[in-house]
């Protein structure tokens, strides 16, 4: 069996779909299953068992001999969350329990970290371990992820294979439930459908023109392909960036969304909300040399191609992956 935590969420449910496509059907999904909108992400998938996240470690004590691999993708992912106690419980302490259980039962582990750990990017975007303790995230969410990364690499006892994935700006199907935290592509699609136009955040940084803020946007289908690669190869444990290695602007993203909808671009700007203005990242670009160095050779989807697939094959028909 393969365990996927956070399974009703965006990336994890896409991973379940990818596993099913590769004929892995003995999948145990772990989450808080009270959000009915998220449960639609798992509809129609081949699953063995639903386990509430509060009961998972008891379940694992009883079933560990049947488990082959654990993907720990569950977390509190709201970058505006200010409740540090909640983030500490869900993103740090729960992950420590997961790590210790994988050590105890000799289970391989892939877990979700985040590019939010890089903060303003003043130290660059290298996933070299020597930089981990120097990173200064800009929000409590990023801090919780960085705290676990630092804790993990310092542990004398580790799972026989483990990988932490620093997800950059992931977009794609199965994020309908994410509301404010959904990708800009989903927001653009909805705004364009409703109003015929799209409003982006104005730049408050003199080094960037409006709409020229840059992020490393990575398609969720590429993300789950990397997860599959790590499960199948199980070589070179460590923390890895997971982006494309190419920063693109929000204007690029928005123009591609208009093009996928066969609509004429009409773009406006508004001030960045004050609650995120001081912690806003103006540039992110993953250094992908470490993942490439362990043999991952597949090309990453071009932003235009990913948006075209996402919009036409998922957003327009309201489909799930």
């Amino acid at each position: 069996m393969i365990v996927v935590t956070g399974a009703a969420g965006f990336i994890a449910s896409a991973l379940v779909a990818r596993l099913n496509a590769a004929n892995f059907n003995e999948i145990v999904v772990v989450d808080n299953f009270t959000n009915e909108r998220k449960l639609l992400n798992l509809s129609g998938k081949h699953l063995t068992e639903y386990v509430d996240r509060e009961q998972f470690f008891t379940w694992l004590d009883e079933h560990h001999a049947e488990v082959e691999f654990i993907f720990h993708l569950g977390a509190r992912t709201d970058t505006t969350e200010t409740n540090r106690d909640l983030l500490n419980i869900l993103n740090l302490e729960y992950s420590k329990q997961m790590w210790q259980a994988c050590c105890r039962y000799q289970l391989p582990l892939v877990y979700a970290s985040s590019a939010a750990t890089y903060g303003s990017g003043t130290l660059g975007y290298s996933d070299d371990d020597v930089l981990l303790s120097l990173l200064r995230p800009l929000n409590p969410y990023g801090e919780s992820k960085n705290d676990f990364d630092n804790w993990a690499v310092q542990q004398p006892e580790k799972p026989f294979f483990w990988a932490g994935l620093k997800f950059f700006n992931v977009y794609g199907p199965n994020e309908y439930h994410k509301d404010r935290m959904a990708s800009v592509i989903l927001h653009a699609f909805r705004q364009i459908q409703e109003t015929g136009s799209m409003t982006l955040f104005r730049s408050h940084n003199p080094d960037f023109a409006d709409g020229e803020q840059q992020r490393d946007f990575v398609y969720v289908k590429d993300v789950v392909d990397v997860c599959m690669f790590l499960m199948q190869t199980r070589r070179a444990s460590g923390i890895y960036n997971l982006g494309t290695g190419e920063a693109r602007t929000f204007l690029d993203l928005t123009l591609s969304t208009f093009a996928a909808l066969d609509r004429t671009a009409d773009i406006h700007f508004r001030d960045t909300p004050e609650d995120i203005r001081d912690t806003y990242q103006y540039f992110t670009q993953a250094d992908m040399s470490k993942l490439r160095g362990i043999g991952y050779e597949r090309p990453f989807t071009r932003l235009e191609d990913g948006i075209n697939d996402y919009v036409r094959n998922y957003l327009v028909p309201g489909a799930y992956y």
Side-chain angles (χ1 to χ4, degrees):
M1 292 190 296
I2 296 171
V3 171
V4 180
T5 75
F10 167 36
I11 298 173
S13 64
L15 175 60
V16 172
R18 181 67 180 82
L19 287 164
N20 281 173
N23 294 317
F24 291 94
N25 297 320
E26 297 293 316
I27 299 174
V28 175
V29 292
V30 181
D31 211 323
N32 173 355
F33 296 106
T34 58
N35 185 331
E36 293 186 5
R37 292 172 66 201
K38 289 175 65 176
L39 287 177
L40 293 172
N41 286 337
L42 296 176
S43 179
K45 294 177 170 60
H46 297 286
L47 307 171
T48 298
E49 191 171 353
Y50 289 74
V51 179
D52 185 272
R53 72 181 181 210
E54 297 295 329
Q55 306 301 320
F56 172 67
F57 293 110
T58 299
W59 180 94
L60 187 62
D61 288 340
E62 298 172 1
H63 298 277
H64 61 87
E66 304 162 62
V67 175
E68 178 185 353
F69 204 96
I70 294 181
F71 290 99
H72 177 39
L73 306 184
R76 176 67 171 173
T77 58
D78 188 341
T79 59
T80 65
E81 179 63 70
T82 58
N83 185 336
R84 293 176 184 272
D85 290 338
L86 179 65
L87 290 165
N88 186 59
I89 292 168
L90 296 181
N91 293 4
L92 182 58
E93 296 304 326
Y94 196 94
S95 296
K96 288 181 180 180
Q97 281 186 269
M98 186 67 71
W99 178 280
Q100 291 161 348
C102 288
C103 290
R104 184 162 59 250
Y105 297 126
Q106 285 298 291
L107 295 172
L109 171 69
V110 167
Y111 73 86
S113 183
S114 171
T117 57
Y118 289 115
S120 62
T122 53
L123 296 178
Y125 296 92
S126 168
D127 45 13
D128 191 320
D129 286 357
V130 299
L131 296 176
L132 283 175
S133 64
L134 304 177
L135 297 178
R136 296 294 179 266
L138 297 175
N139 54 48
Y141 163 75
E143 290 172 0
S144 70
K145 289 295 189 179
N146 195 49
D147 286 347
F148 182 71
D149 287 344
N150 277 281
W151 180 89
V153 299
Q154 293 167 13
Q155 294 311 295
E157 185 178 13
K158 296 177 171 64
F160 75 87
F161 171 77
W162 65 276
L165 296 177
K166 293 199 178 199
F167 296 135
F168 276 67
N169 283 71
V170 186
Y171 68 94
N174 297 13
E175 59 169 341
Y176 298 110
H177 64 281
K178 288 178 66 67
D179 297 325
R180 186 182 182 186
M181 289 296 111
S183 73
V184 178
I185 299 157
L186 179 54
H187 290 301
F189 170 79
R190 288 172 171 167
Q191 281 193 37
I192 294 166
Q193 292 287 73
E194 292 172 9
T195 69
S197 65
M198 173 60 182
T199 301
L200 294 173
F201 290 155
R202 182 173 288 114
S203 173
H204 299 271
N205 183 327
D207 295 332
F208 294 85
D210 291 344
E212 295 292 333
Q213 303 96 318
Q214 297 179 59
R215 299 285 178 84
D216 192 332
F217 300 103
V218 58
Y219 199 25
V220 72
K221 292 184 179 182
D222 292 333
V223 168
V224 298
D225 280 347
V226 171
C227 289
M228 295 292 291
F229 167 80
L230 292 170
M231 182 182 74
Q232 291 162 349
T233 59
R234 306 184 191 189
R235 70 166 71 101
S237 294
I239 294 174
Y240 294 92
N241 282 337
L242 186 36
T244 65
E246 181 183 9
R248 300 292 300 274
T249 70
F250 283 99
L251 279 176
D252 291 336
L253 178 154
T254 307
L255 290 170
S256 295
T257 307
F258 275 105
L261 287 166
D262 296 317
R263 304 283 286 269
T264 301
D266 182 16
I267 301 171
H268 307 277
F269 297 94
R270 68 181 179 91
D271 287 344
T272 303
E274 291 190 9
D275 66 331
I276 64 172
R277 190 178 301 175
D278 292 339
T279 61
Y280 188 84
Q281 290 175 305
Y282 278 82
F283 176 86
T284 66
Q285 181 172 278
D287 177 347
M288 295 303 296
S289 57
K290 191 172 176 182
L291 184 67
R292 294 300 193 191
I294 64 168
Y296 189 77
E297 298 178 345
R298 294 189 65 165
F300 288 95
T301 305
R302 289 178 65 247
L303 181 65
E304 291 82 359
D305 296 333
I307 289 176
N308 192 64
D309 180 52
Y310 181 25
V311 170
R312 296 188 179 214
N313 296 321
Y314 298 95
L315 293 181
V316 170
Y320 290 80
Y321 178 48

